[in-house]
Every structure is written in structure tokens, then in C-alpha cells.
Amino acid sequence: RMQNSRSKPCSCPSLKLREVASMYFTLVAAFLVILVVALQGSAPRGTDFPYKVPLDPQGLLELSWNVSYPEQAVHFQLLIRELRFGLLFGMSDRGEFENADLAVLWSDGHNSYFGDAWSDAKGQLHMDSQQDYQLLGARRAPEGLYLLFRRAFSTCDPKDYLIEDGTVHLIYGILEKPVHSLQAINVSALHGGLQRVQLLKPNISIPELPSDMKTMEITAPDVVIPSQETTYWCYMAELPEGFPKHHIIMYEPVVTAGNEALVHHMEVFQCAAEFDSFPHYNGPCDSKMKPERLNYCRHVLAAWAMGAQAFYYPEEAGLAFGGPGSSRYLRLEIHYHNPLVFQGRRDSSGIRLYYTASLRRHDAGIMELGLVYTPVMAIPPGEDAFVLTGYCTDKCTQLALPAAGIRIFASQLHTHLAGRKVVTVLSRDGRERQVVNADRHYSPHFQEIRMLKEVVAVFPGDELITTCTYNTEDRSRATVGGFGILEEMCVNYVHYYPQTQLELCKSAVDPGYLHRYFNLVNRFNDEEICMCPQVSVPQQFYSIPWNTFNRDVLKSLYGFAPISMHCNKSSAVRFPGEWEKQPLPSITERLREPVPHCPPVPGPQPAAPIPLNLGQPRRD
């Protein structure tokens, strides 16, 4: 770029400058030819983009993608079924249109443009000085316009979103009118929304499936989706009488055609074996008509969320179901997300289980890590990032795990509505060794069983530490631990093999130390908090005035007070031993935060949009 060209009069450019200009225009012309060729290129094969999700409830925008770990990049294919005057697509911390990282396609009514942009705290758009959404092509097809572009996981551009493991909040906005510049786009007036996905799928080779494999579909019986935004639908199914022990070796979603944008997530639970029978039920999970006994169907067999593919068990393990000591009764739960309040839509979605009578070497097990469901663990109101930690201690793993250890291959993180981040770390001899699973953009509205990129080996004496971060800025009283949706949880359900007797390895603060905290608050407080035994722990938390002192002391208490350990067998009985007033595990060495890998920047690219020839946009 020439600087200060106006400061001196110049009659005629030198030969050198003429050559440079000629080369520059030749390069630009060549680039435009390449771009036009790319835009008219052949359609990518469906197999090139194995992952797919509808972005909007009507299914007008469909995103497909693939992940290249060698390139450290994601390739996106966006199908726009009815292109108006363009759209915004991008990522942000929790799905907001402010402080977002965006790829924008827009038209002024004559010409179309594509560019990498960002929005500030007020939602104003700016062209990014570093163009990291790289346009690879665009083409029209009978079903709509395909837009292909690429984005590195990490760009080291402070205006860009860092794509990492776990949940990514994708946002989209449709431009209904022509705009003359990127800056003229009013984000608040857009018809838009968000979709949560796990972008960085693990690169796992699919195990060989046995020849005697059978399938079973647990699906809703042609239900009418209620015309309301959110519905949890429960349906009871049962295995055949005398169904022997089998191994589930994979499962996949079965989604009724046309309902892909409405079926948000689905789970199949097995009921408790201590009951001989369970009543039939087909209706909303929160209905007063739902039999109470269905609450005893909580053992997860399969869980799927929008954007997830088939789930495969490792070839040496399968999830046991059927046979003696296993209930015949299953509960299917489907979350319908119907924000456009469609009426009369019928649905028979569910989950297809693949199972075999040829049992694999190991039964897979599911173990709960994190915090016990108890009100002694609480979050003050008005907190933007309050941290609670649950421990599975060395004493428990020493006692309960086999000498050869266990292998964790999948994980499902779980909190209620205030959860924002969940991380489980493996620690050995006081040193953090590896992350088991981490979701730094966790959403309670998007919970799936995720296969881990690499199997995690856990040996006797290891510690598993699960940390949850909560936001209670919209709450006026304390949030306590418990089962209610406005109470909180901090759980990691880890899927592992070989199955052991250890089903639950969780902790909570020692109740005696919490009682001392309430006493201390009373000493420094004008209004007495009633400490009498008949006042429950939640009531005591609700009556605390949440000044800085009371908040900081509670944080400190959770960081040093001894814990009550729950090292439980499947029958909810603790392993023998002393589990009260246990010392907190001491960590002498923390894992280093990963340093984002920055791709080489191919020289300074001008912050200018790329012109596209897409024909005339629809005006109807």
C-alpha cells in the first residue's frame, strides 16, 4: 500500500512502480478467475460434510461441517433454502449477537458481498481487519444456495471466537432488505436465533459390528407435538418377556422427516429393577397424570442431542441390558423445541438401539462424579462466575477400582439452569494429569453423551475433580443444591469399562463446618439468622444478607473445609470406611492452560469484502 502519495506531485510513475502495478492487477484478475471457478464448482458430496444441523426452527438454513485436525480447521457448508438479501452466521460466547464473530453475506439489491466481521458490545458490525472466514465457494442448486467457507480453530485475532472442545453457540440472522454496507446492518432488527452444537467431533474410527447384531427402536407412538415452545414428552416401553442379557454396542437417532428442527434432544432410561412392573404412560413428563413411579426410571441407556451422530461403544465393551437383575421397563424422554408454535405436527422420533447376544469382553458402566445433591452446596445470588467443586478422592478409588484400573471413553456433563462451565480433571499424586472432559461454553439446554477424543485410564489412588461454574445474576436469593430445576447440580456421568461396583463418587462440604459459617454470619450481622435445628439449610441460606464479606467467606469455606465423601455402590450403600470430615485433596501442580496454536497469516489481507455474483435476490 502506498503511503503519502498525495504529498508530492508526480508526473509519471517509474518503470518499477508500473511493473508492480501490472503484477498486482494480474494477481487480482487471477484471483477473481479462481473465485468465479470456485463459485461454479461441483457440489460437494454429502460424505464430505458428515455433521449436519438445522439452524432455524423452519429448517430454511441447514449447516453441514467437517473437522480437519491436521489443518486445525472446520469446513462449513451452509444451505440457504430461500435467500433474501443475505445472512449473518457466526459464534459468540453464549449465543448473543453482541461481541460475536461473524461471516456475513449481504446484498445492496444489485451486488452481493461476503466478509468476516465482528460485532461490538452494542451490536454494531465492523469489518474484521483479519479475514479469517475464508470463502471457498458458492453455488445455486434446486434446493437453494450453498455457501462454503473455512475457519481455523484458533486465529489469534482478539476479535475472533476460539473454537474449542465442547459446546459452541452458533448464531444466524436473515437479512430481509437490501443494505448498502456492512455497517448499515441493524442486528437488533434481524430475524435470527441460535443453535448449539459440538463442532469439534472426536476423530474416532468406527469399531467393527458383529454379524448377529439386532436393532430395536424405542420411538414415540405418533404423538401430536404440543403447540407450545418447550415440551418434555415421556413414553414407557418394555422389553419382551424373558429378554436375556445383551450388550448395546451402538445407538443412533430416529427423527421423523420434517421434524428435524423440532426434536431437540432424546434420552432412553431404564427403570429400577426393584419394581416388578411400571404403569404405561404416554404424555408430557410434567403432567399431573404422570404416575409417580416413573421417577424411578433414571438409569441412562442412551442420550442424543441435535447435531450428534451415532454413538459407538469401544469394541471391547457393551452396555448390558436384559437378563436377571435388569428391569424390562424403559422410559423414552423427548424434548420438543417448538418456538414457532406449530400446531398438529405428528412425531414418531426416538432412538434405535443396536445390540448383540454375543457379549463383549467387558460390561460398560456409568459412574457419577461431582457434587452430592444437597443444599449444603449453595451459590449466592448476583454472581457472574461462582465456582463449586466436587471430589472423587484417592481413598475411594483405592478401595473401589480394580488394580488394572478403568477406561473412561465417554462423558455427559450435567447442571441445572445456572450452569455455565463444567470441567473434570484427573489428578495423580497431587498433580493434575489430564482433562477428562471440559465444556467452557456449557449450556444446560444442550446435554449429550460425548465420546472422548482419547480414552482416559483411571487407576486406584487417582482423584477425579469436577468443577462447575454458575451464573446467578438474574436471581435474588441463594441457589442451593438439589433436584428442583431452580436448585443446582454439578455432575459428570462418565461411561467406562470394565464395570465396577462404584456407581457414585461425589462429595459435599462437611455440614458441621457449614453450621460454623452460619454462626459466623450471625456474629457480623444485625438481623439474626435463626440457627434452630428446625430451620432447614435452604432457609438459613435464603435469610443471609449477601454482602461481600458473607460471599467471600462462603467461597473460602468451600475452598478449605473438609468434605463428606459419598463412595457408593449401586445399591446407594457406601463402601466400608470413614467418609465424613475427609481432607480436601491437595493439588501441588495444575495443568497448564493450552496455548492456542496460531496458523501462519498469509501476509496482510485487506479488510475488504469479496464480491459475489449470485443473481438477483428474492424480493417477495
Side-chain angles (χ1 to χ4, degrees), residues 299-316:
H299 177 69
V300 178
L301 287 187
W304 171 89
M306 209 181 251
Q309 299 296 101
F311 181 95
Y312 293 89
Y313 279 84
E315 53 198 349
E316 55 273 30

Side-chain angles (χ1 to χ4, degrees), residues 515-580:
H515 195 72
R516 293 183 199 177
Y517 167 74
F518 290 139
N519 275 327
L520 183 69
V521 167
N522 255 348
R523 285 195 206 168
F524 285 87
N525 190 27
D526 297 338
E527 305 155 45
E528 280 284 304
I529 298 172
C530 184
M531 307 294 297
C532 11
Q534 64 268 32
V535 175
S536 66
V537 167
Q539 288 305 328
Q540 292 184 49
F541 270 123
Y542 298 153
S543 58
I544 289 177
W546 289 107
N547 54 41
T548 318
F549 176 80
N550 291 342
R551 287 172 194 273
D552 289 349
V553 175
L554 183 66
K555 257 181 225 171
S556 305
L557 175 84
Y558 288 149
F560 87 88
I563 52 176
S564 163
M565 260 308 296
H566 287 232
C567 184
N568 291 13
K569 301 181 185 184
S570 53
S571 49
V573 174
R574 289 189 195 186
F575 276 84
E578 182 49 58
W579 301 112
E580 297 305 326

Side-chain angles (χ1 to χ4, degrees), residues 61-346:
L61 300 172
E62 187 176 277
L63 181 75
S64 310
W65 74 97
N66 67 42
V67 182
S68 169
Y69 285 101
E71 284 182 46
Q72 292 279 293
V74 182
H75 292 83
F76 294 102
Q77 174 183 272
L78 189 54
L79 168 60
I80 308 160
R81 293 190 196 279
E82 294 177 18
L83 179 65
R84 302 297 301 256
F85 290 92
L87 90 158
L88 284 70
F89 165 83
M91 307 168 228
S92 68
D93 181 37
R94 307 213 64 81
E96 321 86 346
F97 275 87
E98 296 76 34
N99 300 317
D101 176 13
L102 299 159
V104 187
L105 173 69
W106 78 95
S107 167
D108 57 13
H110 308 288
N111 300 307
S112 299
Y113 303 92
F114 176 92
D116 179 345
W118 57 277
S119 64
D120 58 27
K122 292 181 179 169
Q124 177 65 47
L125 294 192
H126 305 268
M127 185 63 69
D128 201 330
S129 57
Q130 196 177 305
Q131 294 284 296
D132 291 304
Y133 281 107
Q134 298 166 350
L135 183 66
L136 302 175
R139 63 168 196 98
R140 284 201 179 275
E143 59 272 30
L145 175 78
Y146 284 97
L147 204 59
L148 274 73
F149 49 99
R150 174 188 185 279
R151 168 70 153 68
F153 299 170
S154 163
T155 63
C156 297
D157 175 349
K159 301 296 183 207
D160 284 356
Y161 181 94
L162 173 67
I163 300 175
E164 34 186 7
D165 292 335
T167 304
V168 177
H169 291 70
L170 302 176
I171 54 177
Y172 66 88
I174 296 165
L175 299 180
E176 306 279 1
K177 295 176 184 158
V179 286
H180 294 290
S181 71
L182 181 84
Q183 286 76 10
I185 297 172
N186 178 5
V187 168
S188 59
L190 286 181
H191 165 64
L194 81 113
Q195 180 64 284
R196 299 175 183 93
V197 297
Q198 179 198 19
L199 273 185
L200 302 189
K201 302 285 188 185
N203 197 5
I204 289 172
S205 54
I206 293 171
E208 203 172 311
L209 298 170
S211 54
D212 69 342
M213 182 175 71
K214 293 181 180 165
T215 64
M216 173 189 300
E217 292 190 359
I218 314 292
T219 54
D222 195 31
V223 306
V224 177
I225 300 174
S227 49
Q228 60 194 38
E229 179 164 350
T230 302
T231 302
Y232 283 84
W233 193 271
C234 281
Y235 170 66
M236 290 297 289
E238 56 187 283
L239 300 174
E241 194 91 49
F243 185 76
K245 180 178 174 178
H246 287 78
H247 270 164
I248 297 171
I249 52 176
M250 74 168 272
Y251 60 82
E252 64 185 359
V254 180
V255 180
T256 299
N259 292 348
E260 291 86 356
L262 300 179
V263 178
H264 188 274
H265 70 252
M266 305 184 280
E267 293 187 88
V268 175
F269 300 91
Q270 189 167 31
C271 300
E274 56 256 37
F275 296 100
D276 292 336
S277 70
F278 279 80
H280 285 285
Y281 182 70
N282 179 38
C285 300
D286 58 358
S287 164
K288 290 187 170 63
M289 304 300 288
K290 188 187 86 171
E292 188 70 23
R293 189 168 281 192
L294 268 57
N295 295 335
Y296 291 90
C297 305
R298 298 174 61 89
H299 177 69
V300 178
L301 287 187
W304 171 89
M306 209 181 251
Q309 299 296 101
F311 181 95
Y312 293 89
Y313 279 84
E315 53 198 349
E316 55 273 30
L319 187 65
F321 79 140
S326 170
S327 174
R328 286 176 47 225
Y329 294 90
L330 309 176
R331 175 168 68 89
L332 171 69
E333 182 175 304
I334 303 180
H335 173 196
Y336 294 113
H337 180 58
N338 184 10
L340 300 178
V341 197
F342 291 122
Q343 300 203 346
R345 284 281 189 98
R346 305 193 82 88

